[in-house]
Amino acid sequence: MIRVRIAPSPTGFAHIGTAYTALFNYAFARHNKGTFVIRVEDTDVKRNVKGAEEAIFGGLEWLGLDWDESVVTGGKHGPYRQSEKLDVYRNKAKELVKKGWAKKEEGAIRFNGGLYEKKINKWITWKDLIRGEISFHTNQLTDFVILKSDGYPTYNFAVVIDDLDMEVTHVIRGEEHIPNTPRQIALYKVFGQTHPEFAHHVTLRGADRRKLSKRRDPVDLRIYREQGYLPEALLNFLCLLGWSHPQEKEIFSLAEFVKLFDLKRMRKAGPVFDVKKLDWMNGEYIRKTQNSKLKTQIYDFYDGEYDKEAIEKVLPLVQTRMNKLSEFGTMANFFFKELKIDKKLFEKDYKMYLKSALEVLEHVKPFNLDAVSKELMRAVKENKYKTGDFFMSLRLAIAGSRFTPPINESMVILGKNEVIKRLKEVLD
Ligand code: GLU
């Protein structure tokens, strides 16, 4: 039975890298009908932040990466919070001291790397499921600390005890953990246990090929939610950074990913985290989302600021033009609110254009797209106006911006009275 886990540390917020690692573990578990577990690695006490656990769980929930066992659900292999099993680590460390594999030094307990080299092997080798064979010379193990003097285990020690307790079969994590793996394998060995399979995926990198960083890059998952990325699109984007589709497809669902998932298709070098590509992909998802669903997503995104029925009316005009939910407001705000028009935006002949437009629109019947478009064009031709200038004035007067959905369609949705009112106000 396959069991995988992610082991985030609660150091402040949900990191996009956690979601990325979670995604591959999730797919591996679901594809193989196994179990996906979340363990909270909170033994680095100084770095723990209140509320961080909730942020991590909330972020994964938003993405739809559901898990089987965690501190939230409770499971038979718990506790899932390391700080709740300090006595277990202590006893295990003592066991190693008794057997000579570890020694006490100034209150801390250290692994005896030298003894390992002498008694077991000079090389530690494993067959990484993504990268193939990896070897480290045992002299790199050193006498590393397993239990600190404050009674807390170090990461390399706790991770081994926990993965054993939780019967983890496959450890799928970022490549930054490759140098930790030999120490962990040495510990499995001296406990007389076989180690789980290891698979180290590529890490997320920015355009400069450096690892995404908390200081330089938007790594908090919440930022993506707040900017109006759809969870499905973000997941799809993350998939492609670590995995390639057998038909080189770019757009695919989480369900398809799970179905096709194979560690053999994991990349050994990843493309960079390119926000422009994410924007494009998000736009693709927005365009293929059903209107009724998108309506609700926009409604929720704006916390009910826009009326659902009105969103539905406007949606066909903006759906093809927006890449993020946050662009709905930018593009469609004028449908809902009367804006203060900045007259400095207009070119010099705007009054002439608007007067003609007003005349046409007051008389056009019926006030539908066909008639409005035809009559306005007739006025443009008769007066030998420049089409672009004429419609730009109209756009600015009605929507207060140069970038709007098609203006004739927009006016029809706004309705005759509202359009006339807005034109008169600018002309006043
Ligand atoms: N707490 C570690 C991390 O967040 C877990 C590494 C592992 O999966 O072993 O990187």
Side-chain angles (χ1 to χ4, degrees):
M1 180 68 169
I2 279 173
R3 270 173 81 80
V4 293
R5 84 310 188 266
I6 52 162
S9 304
T11 54
F13 56 88
H15 196 290
I16 185 119
T18 300
Y20 179 62
T21 299
L23 175 60
F24 302 122
N25 278 280
Y26 170 90
F28 187 68
R30 296 291 172 259
H31 180 89
N32 293 297
K33 310 258 177 300
T35 310
F36 171 46
V37 162
I38 305 177
R39 172 172 79 230
V40 176
E41 302 216 318
D42 64 345
T43 51
D44 194 350
V45 191
K46 287 190 296 295
R47 295 178 61 209
N48 290 348
V49 171
K50 241 183 125 213
E53 265 182 31
E54 289 76 7
I56 293 168
F57 294 130
L60 294 175
E61 240 167 303
W62 173 65
L63 287 171
L65 298 175
D66 51 315
W67 56 91
D68 302 301
E69 294 169 25
S70 74
V71 297
V72 175
T73 47
K76 62 183 163 115
H77 293 77
Y80 288 84
R81 206 180 270 123
Q82 287 183 328
S83 59
E84 290 168 12
K85 54 185 287 193
L86 296 180
D87 51 332
V88 176
Y89 306 123
R90 202 173 309 127
N91 290 335
K92 287 287 182 188
K94 278 187 192 152
E95 188 184 317
L96 290 190
V97 174
K98 225 184 270 160
K99 291 183 178 156
W101 289 116
K103 50 199 174 185
K104 252 197 156 118
E105 253 178 47
E106 293 166 33
I109 296 181
R110 286 177 181 276
F111 184 73
N112 192 339
L115 187 65
Y116 186 93
E117 191 179 336
K118 217 167 17 194
K119 277 205 160 165
I120 301 189
N121 203 341
K122 282 196 173 47
W123 291 92
I124 289 180
T125 303
W126 78 94
K127 201 169 168 321
D128 196 277
L129 295 183
I130 295 173
R131 284 151 201 278
E133 196 170 288
I134 301 182
S135 287
F136 280 82
H137 195 278
T138 325
N139 62 15
Q140 287 178 36
L141 284 182
T142 70
D143 291 355
F144 63 95
V145 173
I146 57 174
L147 201 77
K148 293 178 277 183
S149 54
D150 62 4
Y152 276 83
T154 57
Y155 156 69
N156 277 315
F157 189 60
V159 77
V160 168
I161 305 299
D162 290 340
D163 285 341
L164 281 171
D165 284 353
M166 294 177 179
E167 300 182 72
V168 167
T169 59
H170 294 71
V171 170
I172 304 169
R173 63 185 171 196
E175 63 191 328
E176 62 276 18
H177 286 292
I178 290 176
N180 289 321
T181 309
R183 290 181 169 176
Q184 294 170 17
I185 290 178
L187 287 167
Y188 283 105
K189 192 92 185 171
V190 299
F191 277 121
Q193 303 278 353
T194 50
H195 62 78
E197 300 277 4
F198 291 103
H200 290 94
H201 63 68
V202 287
T203 205
L204 297 175
R205 289 176 195 278
D208 52 5
R209 304 292 318 170
R210 285 199 289 179
K211 213 179 136 197
L212 290 193
S213 111
K214 213 160 144 172
R215 270 170 294 112
R216 293 190 307 266
D217 305 297
V219 294
D220 184 343
L221 208 50
R222 214 178 32 193
I223 297 174
Y224 293 89
R225 189 175 185 170
E226 283 169 0
Q227 289 186 0
Y229 291 100
L230 301 182
E232 304 89 313
L234 183 57
L235 279 180
N236 190 159
F237 175 71
L238 290 176
C239 283
L240 287 175
L241 292 177
W243 184 83
S244 67
H245 189 286
Q247 282 112 43
E248 298 298 328
K249 254 166 88 173
E250 297 230 278
I251 305 277
F252 47 84
S253 67
L254 182 60
E256 182 173 347
F257 180 55
V258 167
K259 195 163 150 223
L260 296 174
F261 187 77
D262 186 342
L263 282 171
K264 289 199 184 79
R265 297 206 62 83
M266 291 293 285
R267 300 180 191 274
K268 289 180 194 65
V272 298
F273 192 101
D274 177 1
V275 177
K276 277 208 204 83
K277 170 131 189 205
L278 172 60
D279 286 354
W280 165 78
M281 197 170 260
N282 205 58
E284 292 293 299
Y285 270 84
I286 284 182
R287 282 182 268 299
K288 74 190 185 80
T289 304
Q290 267 186 344
N291 256 1
S292 55
K293 187 172 170 201
L294 191 58
K295 177 178 70 181
T296 311
Q297 282 171 320
I298 291 172
Y299 182 81
D300 292 343
F301 183 77
Y302 288 96
D303 242 347
E305 187 181 334
Y306 302 124
D307 177 74
K308 264 195 191 162
E309 251 173 67
I311 294 175
E312 189 159 21
K313 258 203 224 155
V314 175
L315 209 42
L317 285 196
V318 296
Q319 186 168 5
T320 53
R321 294 177 170 76
M322 56 194 263
N323 281 335
K324 295 186 263 185
L325 298 181
S326 55
E327 288 166 1
F328 180 84
T330 322
M331 256 185 300
N333 204 26
F334 75 93
F335 284 107
F336 303 90
K337 288 184 191 121
E338 231 177 279
L339 306 166
K340 195 127 187 62
I341 308 296
D342 178 3
K343 297 213 174 130
K344 286 202 288 290
L345 290 173
F346 290 100
E347 305 291 340
K348 60 179 186 331
D349 291 329
Y350 79 98
K351 285 208 170 168
M352 171 180 85
Y353 295 137
L354 295 183
K355 272 185 201 147
S356 293
L358 182 62
E359 214 164 282
V360 170
L361 294 168
E362 271 179 324
H363 297 103
V364 66
K365 249 193 224 146
F367 199 83
N368 65 19
L369 184 57
D370 243 17
V372 164
S373 311
K374 233 197 335 254
E375 292 305 311
L376 286 176
M377 271 320 285
R378 194 209 302 272
V380 168
K381 286 218 176 89
E382 268 173 16
N383 296 301
K384 300 205 170 58
Y385 290 157
K386 282 194 194 132
T387 317
D389 291 353
F390 176 82
F391 282 103
M392 187 52 81
S393 301
L394 205 49
R395 201 181 284 277
L396 286 166
I398 302 292
S401 162
R402 289 172 193 278
F403 307 101
T404 70
I407 194 62
N408 292 348
E409 273 100 326
S410 302
M411 289 193 294
V412 171
I413 289 177
L414 275 170
K416 182 170 174 173
N417 291 343
E418 184 62 28
V419 167
I420 299 221
K421 196 171 118 210
R422 291 189 187 193
L423 288 178
K424 281 187 171 161
E425 243 156 60
V426 176
L427 285 168
D428 248 4

